[in-house]
Each structure stands twice: as structure tokens, then as C-alpha cells.
């Protein structure tokens, strides 16, 4: 079973705009991670945020975590065509050792 | 190696045949994971190893599925008597830690299995 749910399922934006997607999870976690999957390619780890962190940045990526609401968001600023991909959140539950993935958000960046 | 290598990239097999999918993790990575991903869905956990020990196989759908990592490096996922519902992308990942998840996973490109 999948622990996380992403919202929205799909997102279409203009190049240069920001893209925001959300993830909710069900049980307490150790950390939450975001991955990107380009069409026909493998999953690439983007960023990890621990349960005691509230916000993290990596380049044009900004991740927030609200453990009281069991939710996280991923913001991509100044999007580019190369950001077109599916984005998955994956949570590591407390006292567990395997990631549980959501169904993903498909992002399309229009030139 | 530099990344996680999976072979074959594509496998088409007839229903009832056995298949073996191979994963070569990043050298030195302790933890190895197998996931299965259906089209339009996120990866679903199958099984996990620390070194050569299979720590968790709770995600394997039934006893036709098995996995091994005999020397703590290369792993093989075997599906016996394949069925059409086994068709999916099978992904392998490795991480340096002891499954504590403090590290992100490095995924291979996957094996696309089609059972006809």
C-alpha cells in the first residue's frame, strides 16, 4: 500500500513560473524525500527533509514539512522545460527502513 | 560501479516462463531494495537486503517471487511461472546506510517486464 498522496495529480505551467505540489502521508515519519522521474528514465533523488526540519532548499527547490498536518510541499522556482517530469514524495515511517511512495504529480512545463 | 545497473532493460516473456532480473548496486552500498512500478503509479516495495541478509520480503506478492543477494553485492529477483499481471517496471535501488533511510536511494533504470 502507498503511504503518501500527491496533489495535484497533474500540473501544467509556463516556463519561468513556479510549480508547487503537495504530499500528505498517514503515519509519523523519520524523514520525507522527493524524487523526480523523467519520461522513460529512472527515479532521481532530489531532496530529503528530516522530521525535525521544517524547510529545506536545494538550488531551485524548496521543500517544507508540517508534521502536525502530516504534509509536505515541493516548490520548483523559475521552472524550465527540463523540469517536465513526474515528482514523487516518499516517506520513511518511524521505526521502518523502507520508503513508501505516493502516486506522483506529473508536471509539464510549456515553452 | 558509478551507478545502479539493472539488466535486462527490457524483457518479454511468455506466460508460464521463469524470469531472473539482475541488479548491480553501487559498490559499497549496504542496503539494496526492489520495487515494482505500474504505469502511472509510484513504486511499491517488494523486498530489502542489508548485505546478503534479506531483512524484509513482506512486499513480495506471492511465493512465485523470490530474491537473493548471496555475496552482499549483486541481487537477483526471480519470478517463476510468470503471469500477465506481473507485467510492470521492476526497479532496484541501493543506499549506503543500514536501511535507516538517512540517505536517499539511488535507483537503477529498471527492467520493463512484459508477460504475453
Amino acid at each position: 500500500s502507498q503511504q503518501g498522496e500527491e496533489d495535484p495529480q497533474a500540473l501544467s505551467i509556463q516556463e519561468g513560473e513556479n510549480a508547487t505540489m503537495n504530499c500528505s502521508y498517514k503515519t509519523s515519519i523519520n524523514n520525507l524525500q522527493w524524487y523526480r522521474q523523467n519520461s522513460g528514465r529512472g527515479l532521481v533523488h532530489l531532496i530529503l527533509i528530516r522530521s525535525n526540519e521544517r524547510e529545506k532548499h536545494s538550488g531551485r527547490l524548496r521543500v517544507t514539512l508540517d508534521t502536525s498536518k502530516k504534509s509536505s510541499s515541493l516548490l520548483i522556482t523559475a521552472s524550465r522545460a527540463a523540469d517536465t517530469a513526474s515528482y514523487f514524495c516518499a516517506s520513511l515511517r518511524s521505526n521502518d527502513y523502507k520508503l513508501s511512495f505516493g502516486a506522483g504529480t506529473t508536471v509539464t512545463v510549456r515553452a | 560501479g558509478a551507478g545502479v545497473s539493472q539488466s535486462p532493460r527490457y524483457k518479454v516473456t511468455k506466460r508460464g516462463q521463469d524470469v531472473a532480473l539482475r541488479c548491480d548496486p553501487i559498490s559499497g552500498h549496504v542496503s539494496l531494495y526492489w520495487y515494482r512500478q505500474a504505469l502511472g503509479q509510484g513504486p511499491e516495495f517488494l523486498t530489502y537486503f542489508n548485505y546478503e541478509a534479506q531483512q524484509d520480503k513482506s512486499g513480495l506478492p506471492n511465493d512465485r517471487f523470490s530474491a537473493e543477494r548471496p555475496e552482499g553485492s549483486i541481487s537477483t529477483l526471480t519470478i517463476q511461472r510468470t503471469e500477465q499481471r506481473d507485467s510492470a517496471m521492476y526497479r532496484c535501488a541501493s543506499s549506503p546506510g543500514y536501511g535507516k533511510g538517512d540517505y536517499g536511494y539511488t535507483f537503477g533504470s529498471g527492467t520493463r517486464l512484459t508477460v504475453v
Side-chain angles (χ1 to χ4, degrees):
Chain A
S1 62
Q2 296 189 316
Q3 150 92 317
E5 293 184 1
E6 282 97 338
D7 169 56
Q9 287 188 326
L11 181 60
S12 180
I13 56 174
Q14 201 74 30
E15 203 166 26
E17 293 180 338
N18 296 341
T20 300
M21 61 209 85
N22 304 296
C23 167
S24 61
Y25 55 91
K26 298 174 186 174
T27 61
S28 63
I29 60 170
N30 181 297
N31 67 55
L32 188 139
Q33 304 178 27
W34 287 88
Y35 288 78
R36 181 183 69 217
Q37 182 176 355
N38 295 97
S39 177
R41 296 186 181 179
L43 284 154
V44 175
H45 177 258
L46 295 176
I47 195 165
L48 180 154
I49 186 165
R50 293 183 169 81
S51 60
N52 60 354
E53 297 176 316
R54 291 297 166 257
E55 187 171 313
K56 204 161 183 180
H57 297 256
S58 177
R60 294 184 296 111
L61 304 179
R62 172 179 169 250
V63 170
T64 62
L65 180 65
D66 187 335
T67 53
S68 66
K69 295 180 180 178
K70 293 188 171 58
S71 67
S72 174
S73 68
L74 172 67
L75 168 68
I76 306 172
T77 60
S79 62
R80 306 167 182 170
D83 295 329
T84 294
S86 292
Y87 292 82
F88 296 90
C89 70
S91 57
L92 182 74
R93 288 177 282 199
S94 301
N95 301 317
D96 203 347
Y97 38 74
K98 58 186 183 287
L99 289 177
S100 297
F101 286 81
T105 294
T106 300
V107 175
T108 303
V109 181
R110 306 185 307 273
Chain B
V4 177
S5 177
Q6 290 188 247
S7 60
R9 285 293 304 274
Y10 303 93
K11 177 70 177 178
V12 180
T13 189
K14 290 185 178 180
R15 190 176 53 184
Q17 296 293 306
D18 298 351
V19 295
L21 311 181
R22 173 187 165 119
C23 173
D24 193 351
I26 290 174
S27 179
H29 274 195
V30 170
S31 302
L32 184 146
Y33 308 83
W34 282 99
Y35 281 78
R36 179 168 71 172
Q37 186 175 16
L39 204 60
Q41 297 295 315
E44 283 196 296
F45 172 80
L46 294 177
T47 187
Y48 149 69
F49 292 84
N50 267 345
Y51 297 107
E52 73 282 358
Q54 190 172 22
Q55 300 289 337
D56 184 343
K57 55 182 181 179
S58 63
L60 296 177
N62 51 60
D63 60 7
R64 296 186 296 105
F65 287 72
S66 62
E68 62 175 9
R69 193 187 184 195
E71 297 179 359
S73 178
I74 292 170
S75 177
T76 303
L77 177 70
T78 301
I79 309 172
Q80 296 179 310
R81 306 180 302 282
T82 52
E83 301 177 5
Q84 284 189 322
R85 59 177 171 158
D86 300 334
S87 296
M89 176 71 83
Y90 288 82
R91 297 194 183 276
C92 174
S94 69
S95 74
Y98 292 85
K100 293 181 180 177
D102 290 341
Y103 307 92
Y105 292 3
T106 301
F107 278 87
S109 296
T111 293
R112 169 74 66 188
L113 175 66
T114 303
V115 182
V116 297

